[in-house]
Amino acid sequence: MLSIPKLKNTDSPQFFLMAGPCAIEGRDMALRIAEHIVTLTDRLKIPYIFKGSYRKANRTKVDSFTGIGDEKALKILQEIGQTFGVPTVTDIHESHEAAFAAEYVDVLQIPAFLCRQTELIAAAARTGKAVNVKKGQFLSGASMKFAVEKINETNPDCQVLLTDRGNSFGYGELIVDYRNLPAMRAFDVPVIMDCTHSLQQPNQESGVTGGKPKLIETIAKAAIAVGADGLFIETHFNPAEAKSDGANMLPLDQLEGLLEKLVRVREAIL
């Protein structure tokens, strides 16, 4: 089981969930989304970690939204953790961000494009926080053993998580190879399926990433059936108005029905 402070429902046989908006767009929206998901996960006995990026460093266009201010967004994440008694996770992009972000959140996430950055991974591990490394779109699940080794070498007590978010297929599509989940689980760490980013359509000529959100349920059901320990889902009240990754986010009002189905899938395979 995960060793993360404030994680609730750890005695439940259910998968755990990382969910929230792609980016922290403001205090009100973040708190409302968190409250909604906490209510659902408490009812369904799903261990829950609130997700929100305090800054979006990986943008296609120079004028794309990057954030509302680092400290402002991190303080909102901290408030969510304190208000609802749940752990929080956010991305970091450079080594110096690790210690700074660790003052506010419980899990540090290494983005897929940066999963080979040794110093970034080591800096995250040195904070003592749990570290979730997303598998690069260009890597196999088996190759993620090196990321695990880097963390263990830096801090043997660090809670490591690995997340699959699909593999590049041509220039503008991703595909999910479910063999990657058991391959990463062989390293004796919890594995997560990113059900939203794996449906991205990157490198669009418009400069705005596309997506196929109608397939989120398909990706999630298959991941649970294969044995994923956790799911990662980005969600928003109105994805069309989201400032980042709206094209592949799940509308928040659809989350309850999806989780209820996934709980039954999980129960069927145990």
Side-chain angles (χ1 to χ4, degrees), residues 68-99:
I68 60 174
D70 292 356
E71 189 170 15
K72 182 178 180 180
L74 285 167
K75 285 184 175 179
I76 292 171
L77 284 164
Q78 184 180 55
E79 182 180 359
I80 287 170
Q82 293 171 344
T83 301
F84 300 106
V86 296
T88 56
V89 57
T90 199
D91 308 84
I92 59 172
H93 308 88
E94 297 185 54
S95 303
H96 67 83
E97 297 177 35

Side-chain angles (χ1 to χ4, degrees), residues 211-237:
K212 298 179 178 179
K214 290 183 179 180
L215 292 174
I216 290 172
E217 181 174 324
T218 300
I219 296 293
K221 284 179 176 177
I224 294 298
V226 169
D229 299 290
L231 298 177
F232 180 106
I233 298 174
E234 288 190 339
T235 184
H236 193 281
F237 285 109

Side-chain angles (χ1 to χ4, degrees), residues 127-145:
T127 67
K129 300 290 181 159
V131 179
N132 179 33
V133 186
K134 287 197 168 183
K135 182 186 74 62
Q137 301 93 317
F138 43 86
L139 293 176
S140 69
S143 66
M144 290 301 289
K145 71 177 181 179

